[in-house]
Each structure stands twice: as C-alpha cells, then as structure tokens.
Amino acid sequence: MLGKLSFRNAKRQAKDYVIYFITILLVVALLFSFNSIAVSEDIAELSNSMTNFSKAIIGINLVIVFVMVWLINYTMKFMLEKRSKEFGTYQILGIEKKDIANMFTIENLMIGLIAFVVGTFLGIFIYQVFSSIIMNIFAQPYQIVIAFDWKAVGITAGCFFGIFLLVLLNSRRKIKKTKVYDLLYADKQNENNQIKSMKGNVFLWMVSILLFFTGLWTLSLDFLNAQTMNGKKTIFAVVQWIVAIYLFYGSVSRFIVKYYLENKRRKYKKNHLFLFRNLTSKINTMSVTLGTIAMLFAFIMIGGNVALMMNGLLNNEIEMGYPFEIMIGSVDPDFSKYKEFMEKNTTVTDMYEYRLYNIPKTEIDKAFEGTMFEGRGYEEFDYVLGLTDYNRLREMLRI
Amino acid sequence: MILKKILKVEQIQKYYGNKDNLAKAIDDISFDVEEGEFIGIMGASGSGKTTLLNCISTIDTVSSGHIYLNNQDITEIKEEEIAKFRRENLGFIFQDFNLLDTLTIEENIALILTINQVPEKEIDERILEMAQKLGITEILNKYPYQVSGGQKQRCASCRAIVNHPKIILADEPTGSLDSKSARQLLEMLEDMNQNMKATILMVTHDPLSASYCQKILFLKDGRIFNKIEKGERERKEFYHEILDVLALLGGETKDVR
C-alpha cells in the first residue's frame, strides 16, 4: 500500500511539478552534453591545446553542478513545505516517520531516475549540436553520429545522483526531525528575519560594498604582473564577491522591506502592504534566490566579456603578426618560382619584394620590454630594412 | 455496570512563550472520559480547546501534568513508539478532512488497515461493512476531490472508526460543512457512538453540534468553567441548556443559528 501510495504521489508530482521535472531534465541534458565534449576523442584530436579546452569544460561542469545542488535543494525544500500537511496526516494516521521518509525517497528517486534517463537522451542531441559547432570552428568535416559515451554517462550519473542523494538524505533528516504539530500548522508560519534593526542591515550593506572593492583590489594585484600571475588571488577575489553579493541582497531586501513597513504612510499606500508582507514571509529564501541569480548573471557577464576580450586579443595578434595575405621569406634571393605560382593560382593585386639586412646586436630590444613584442627578436642579430622598403610596405597597408 | 475509564487527564498545563511573556493556553485541567462516552469540549476561540485536543492526540505536548489513555501515559511516550501508539489507539476527524488526494475514498480507509497489518482478505470486508453502515458505498471508488465536503467528512469518520480505536478525536468536524451535511454527520457520529460503541471526544464551538454529545465541558481561559450532562433529556432541551451556559460564559450567543 505504501509503495502504491508513493508511486501515485510520484505520478501526481510529475504533473504538479512539471517545471521542477523539466529543469532537472535540462540540467542533466546539459551536464551530459558537456561531459560528452570533455571525454570526446574526436574533439581531443582537433588540436594539442584541446586538453585545456577539456579542462575548461570540466570547470563549466562544476558551475552546472553548483547550480544543480542549489536547484535540487531548493525544489525539494519547496516540495517538503508544500506537502507538510500531507506528511503530518501520515504521522497522525500512525505511519512511522521512517516509512514516510522512505516513501519520499522512493518518489523522488523515481522522478529523478526518469529525468535522468530522458535527460541523457536529450543530452545526446545537445552534444551533437555543440560538437558540430566546435568542428565548424576548426573547419573539420563533421558527420552526425549518435555517439553514446559510457564515460560521460558515468560522470553525469555520478554528479547527478551524488547530489540528489545528498539532498534527499537531508530531506529525510528533516522529515524525521520535524514534529507533527509543525507539519500540520506549517503553512501558518513565516520565515523569521534574523537581523531586525535598520543599523544591522546598513552595516551589512556597507560590509558587502567594502567586499566588492577589496575583491577588485585583490584582483588587480593578480593582474599587476602577468609573469607572477597564478590565479590564487583571482579565486580569493571571486570568493569575496560571492560573499558580497549574498550580503548585498540579504541586507538590501531587508532594508527595503523594513523601510516600507516601518512608516505607516508608506506602508498603507496603494498595495504596498500586500506586496511587502508577501516578501517578508519568504525573505530568507528570497534573498538567497536573488543573490544566487545575481551571482550567476555576474559570472555570465564576466565570462562573456573575458571571452570577447580574448577573442579580440587573439585577432589583434594575428593582424599585428601577419598583416599581409601572403608573406614569403627565403634566404634564396630568387623569388621567380613563387611569383609564377602565385600569378597562376591566386589573384594578387600587388606584390613587393624587399631585403632584410642583419646587423650586430643592438640595444633596441630593450625598448620593447614590457610590451607584447618583448622577446620577439632573434638571438644573434637585429634585422633592419631600408626606409624606402618600409614606406612602400606601409603604403600597401594604407597606413 | 462499572465503566472503564478510557482517558484520564490529570492537571495538565500548557504554556507558550518564555519567562517574560507567558501565555497559559491550558491552566490546570483534569477530567475523565469513560468507555463509550460522547463528550464535547466547548469554548470561545482562544479558550484552549484545540490545544487541549492537540495534547490528548499527541500532536502537541503538555508543559506539565499527565494524560493516560487506556492506562498508558502519553506524556511520557517515546518518540519511536508514538506512531504505533497512534495507529492502535487513536482515530482522527479534522475540520478540513485531511484525506489523501492521491488515494480513492476506499484506499484512504484501507490505508489505516494496511498500516495496522490487517490481513488483506479482511480489509475489503471491513471497509464494505463500515461503508454500508455510514452510507458511503456509492462513493468508495471516487477520489476526494470528486465528492462533497459532507461526503469527505463521512469518509474521514469511516477512516477514524474502521480500526476500532480506543478513542476518536474530532476537531470541529462540522466546521467546514453546510448545516444539512453537518446534521447528517452529527447523526452519524451519534450512531457510531451508540451502536458501534465508539468513544468520541469532540471539540466544537457550535451549540448544535455540542447538543449531540452526552456530556459537555466548557472551557474559558484555559480552565474548565462548567460541565453539563444530557442524561435522559431530549436533545432540544439539552441544546437550550448549552445556550444558557454559553450566555453565562459570555459572548458566544451570537453564534447561535
């Protein structure tokens, strides 16, 4: 009977919590597709630096896992609260707490398992999309193959069920701990607001702002010298920002609510009362939710900007290093064969031939110290070219 | 015939709050319930009647005093034994039914038998028998959301009695019902009490509901204010006595229909 009950509950839940289900499903799908990329041999063969790429994907996985922990915990808590009366009824009927916890576990495992299976299949297709994009970037021919990598499945399953079971264990503990009275009357309770005074909120707010700036300062220390940069300070800065974001949202939301509820004229204006009272009843969860979303947005924006910056940097470097379409260097002064080939096969409009002379090493490379040209000189000589050649080349580049 | 005392409440108290701000929800209440009694607890809101019921039903705990049910002290029952105690001794009827939405009416009733490990063969028989007595055979295969409030409460009552608990605790059972359904339910409770020997403790603020009881305790500010018995009188007569006590109690007469 209890098994039947939990099966029905799971079925009803799947209907009630469609959003929860779809979210888990998408998270699993994303996690699986990223894992597939990380372990894919096709992609690893693309380039030597692909191991770094795989490492970056693992980093992204960590972020997804973090979001997953928060998401699953949040929804399970939400479900527990929503169903507290039901659990209270079970207890009143004389069902052992252990059995109630088991029932909840079975239900959630069923939902989790279905989400995992469907999510994995969805992930296969998402992986195809991602890998075709990557292959495209490297201009590789690509065929769609329904590849199913057990290693990726293993990693995904490990992450997903690891988190799922941890959260579930926590929920079980809660079910066993909560008194039946609290379960039956749970919907009548509000979350309590820990910091009651305005001053406390303002103080926390100032601390959060301070942390933003100390974070910035720590980060700048890391970027002062590119040679000694090891990322430790960057991580420290990120930690400071995370704390700052949560503190900021916690204090500001409490401050705003307090500000409106303390003054009766503000409180009773329009529908302020209804709005702010609804906010206060769930203020702890709400500020954490806001903080988490803000943090993710911050990461997305920082990540996006860094990606754009790196892209610009690399493109720039290509432009600087190789400004012409075709450059041929040779110790043999006879270029006629090359010229002939180019005239046959390409549509070159302008061509110029010049000589480089080597002279004994000068102090010139000292002038490049600290710029991106540092260390680009040749070992024994410095190379020079004639001024006419130089001007002609500039003309070709229209500068 | 000497009747067995099924419930003994001894000088219980229930406080809320801390030292500086103490609220006494129950202030030294003692009474007994005998086997087969239909006893009502009345009082204004805030008089402590629901708290009292919660303490007896192991939903809440007392601050001091003892409650004996079938000679077992429920104030000292261990956490691991409480589920067993509840399923063997208590039947509940709530104001808002507390039926499980995922189960049909029949399954709702069957659940209590399965958790008491009644053999499968017997379950069906017992449900049918009880459903016939309570007039809910037609709706057994429906889900709670498909039936009316009155029918839900009948189902809840059936669930409360089907395992023959030592005592049935009812918290405002007519509170969510219209007057016709309320009357039907009360007649049913009366029938359960008289013909099926169920002991019922009912909390209510409605004088009409209370008039179906044999004995009524009136609470005021956490204390027993008065106690009346129906005896051999007609229900109508008893109803008027209740109204008189309520008038004395102050303020409740406005609830009279």
Side-chain angles (χ1 to χ4, degrees), chain B residues 2-242:
Chain B
I2 301 164
L3 286 167
K4 193 178 155 199
K5 277 185 182 142
I6 204 97
L7 177 73
K8 247 164 80 175
V9 176
E10 277 183 8
Q11 297 177 319
I12 61 163
Q13 297 192 315
K14 176 74 186 174
Y15 312 137
Y16 286 110
N18 49 28
K19 262 185 213 159
D20 309 318
N21 184 18
L22 202 68
K24 280 188 178 176
I26 300 176
D27 187 8
D28 197 16
I29 289 181
S30 301
F31 67 93
D32 297 334
V33 178
E34 283 160 0
E35 197 168 20
E37 258 187 333
F38 188 178
I39 189 165
I41 296 174
M42 287 197 82
S45 35
S47 61
K49 55 188 194 304
T50 298
T51 310
L52 176 63
L53 190 82
N54 280 343
C55 288
I56 296 171
S57 58
T58 68
I59 291 175
D60 211 344
T61 52
V62 294
S63 303
S64 73
H66 295 278
I67 300 169
Y68 298 94
L69 199 117
N70 205 25
N71 290 326
Q72 192 175 2
D73 189 350
I74 66 168
T75 58
E76 282 174 6
I77 212 158
K78 281 192 201 122
E79 182 68 32
E80 306 90 64
E81 289 164 13
I82 205 146
K84 186 172 186 290
F85 175 82
R86 283 184 192 135
R87 64 175 178 258
E88 285 175 357
N89 297 295
L90 303 177
F92 287 94
I93 305 174
F94 294 94
Q95 181 177 350
D96 43 6
F97 326 122
N98 281 17
L99 293 171
L100 301 169
D101 303 325
T102 46
L103 300 182
T104 63
I105 302 282
E106 185 176 4
E107 287 162 344
N108 260 292
I109 304 166
L111 182 68
I112 198 100
L113 294 173
T114 57
I115 56 181
N116 274 295
Q117 275 147 11
V118 174
E120 292 92 20
K121 278 182 283 176
E122 254 178 69
I123 290 178
D124 204 35
E125 269 171 46
R126 277 173 71 172
I127 294 173
L128 270 179
E129 188 196 335
M130 196 55 76
Q132 253 159 19
K133 281 183 189 164
L134 303 183
I136 53 169
T137 26
E138 287 93 53
I139 55 164
L140 277 181
N141 288 322
K142 291 194 170 158
Y143 285 93
Y145 65 88
Q146 293 171 314
V147 303
S148 72
Q151 287 170 320
K152 270 186 225 174
Q153 199 59 299
R154 279 155 173 273
C155 164
S157 311
C158 186
R159 178 178 71 178
I161 198 176
V162 73
N163 198 40
H164 306 299
K166 299 282 179 302
I167 191 165
I168 292 173
L169 302 161
D171 186 6
E172 303 272 8
T174 57
S176 314
L177 305 182
D178 61 89
S179 60
K180 189 174 164 243
S181 309
R183 210 176 274 264
Q184 281 176 343
L185 184 88
L186 289 162
E187 276 161 13
M188 198 185 83
L189 288 179
E190 200 176 34
D191 181 52
M192 274 159 59
N193 169 249
Q194 281 169 5
N195 302 325
M196 301 177 218
K197 306 274 173 283
T199 312
I200 302 172
L201 180 75
M202 178 171 78
V203 161
T204 183
H205 72 280
D206 170 33
L208 181 83
S209 300
S211 68
Y212 282 86
C213 301
Q214 291 157 354
K215 204 197 254 182
I216 298 168
L217 301 178
F218 291 89
L219 297 193
K220 189 179 186 181
D221 303 329
R223 288 167 172 272
I224 294 180
F225 173 80
N226 203 344
K227 195 190 277 186
I228 58 172
E229 279 188 51
K230 190 179 185 178
E232 296 302 312
R233 285 177 293 174
E234 284 290 307
R235 197 170 60 78
K236 226 170 211 166
E237 214 176 313
F238 191 46
Y239 177 66
H240 285 293
E241 195 184 347
I242 296 168

Side-chain angles (χ1 to χ4, degrees), chain A residues 131-151:
Chain A
S131 53
S132 64
I133 291 172
I134 294 167
M135 292 295 192
N136 240 322
I137 291 173
F138 286 88
Q140 295 282 321
Y142 185 66
Q143 290 167 313
I144 290 192
V145 196
I146 301 296
F148 193 71
D149 198 317
W150 284 107
K151 214 164 131 197

Side-chain angles (χ1 to χ4, degrees), chain A residues 118-331:
Chain A
V118 181
T120 308
F121 276 102
L122 195 66
I124 294 175
F125 293 103
I126 297 179
Y127 165 60
Q128 299 300 328
V129 175
F130 281 148
S131 53
S132 64
I133 291 172
I134 294 167
M135 292 295 192
N136 240 322
I137 291 173
F138 286 88
Q140 295 282 321
Y142 185 66
Q143 290 167 313
I144 290 192
V145 196
I146 301 296
F148 193 71
D149 198 317
W150 284 107
K151 214 164 131 197
V153 176
I155 298 172
T156 314
C159 288
F160 176 68
F161 287 106
I163 295 164
F164 206 72
L165 288 180
L166 274 182
V167 177
L168 208 52
L169 278 180
N170 189 30
S171 302
R172 283 179 67 102
R173 194 183 53 87
K174 264 189 214 152
I175 291 174
K176 285 187 184 168
K177 208 182 62 185
T178 319
K179 291 197 182 104
V180 61
Y181 182 87
D182 296 325
L183 286 174
L184 287 173
Y185 300 98
D187 48 350
K188 298 194 173 89
Q189 284 167 3
N190 291 332
E191 284 181 6
N192 50 345
N193 190 346
Q194 280 110 350
I195 293 159
K196 295 246 157 60
S197 74
M198 280 301 237
K199 274 183 194 162
N201 282 324
V202 173
F203 175 72
L204 283 184
W205 181 74
M206 289 196 310
V207 170
S208 75
I209 298 292
L210 195 74
L211 276 173
F212 271 119
F213 285 107
T214 55
L216 258 183
W217 181 68
T218 334
L219 189 72
S220 69
L221 282 184
D222 220 354
F223 279 88
L224 268 183
N225 194 339
Q227 246 92 51
T228 57
M229 181 173 171
N230 58 9
K232 270 185 192 158
K233 291 199 184 77
T234 310
I235 291 170
F236 183 53
V238 169
V239 170
Q240 287 181 53
W241 281 334
I242 291 174
V243 176
I245 286 173
Y246 280 114
L247 276 184
F248 182 83
Y249 276 96
S251 58
V252 166
S253 53
R254 287 192 180 86
F255 182 85
I256 292 173
V257 162
K258 203 113 189 127
Y259 175 81
Y260 277 99
L261 291 182
E262 228 156 51
N263 183 316
K264 294 238 159 103
R265 269 174 63 198
R266 280 195 289 264
K267 183 173 169 181
Y268 296 140
K269 205 173 163 191
K270 288 181 189 162
N271 42 19
H272 283 176
L273 179 65
F274 172 75
L275 181 69
F276 288 104
R277 267 305 170 209
N278 262 326
L279 288 177
T280 46
S281 71
K282 292 272 177 280
I283 193 136
N284 290 340
T285 331
M286 203 91 107
S287 49
V288 172
T289 312
L290 278 175
T292 309
I293 293 172
M295 197 177 64
L296 291 175
F297 268 120
F299 281 140
I300 290 170
M301 282 165 77
I302 293 172
N305 273 319
V306 168
L308 281 178
M309 197 178 80
M310 293 301 259
N311 187 35
L313 208 69
L314 289 175
N315 280 338
N316 201 24
E317 198 158 316
I318 292 171
E319 280 294 305
M320 299 283 266
Y322 310 96
F324 299 100
E325 269 75 37
I326 300 167
M327 288 161 78
I328 299 163
S330 170
V331 259

Side-chain angles (χ1 to χ4, degrees), chain A residues 56-73:
Chain A
I57 292 287
I58 289 168
I60 293 173
N61 268 347
L62 282 181
V63 175
I64 297 183
V65 164
F66 172 79
V67 173
M68 200 151 92
V69 171
W70 174 73
L71 190 84
I72 293 178
N73 194 35

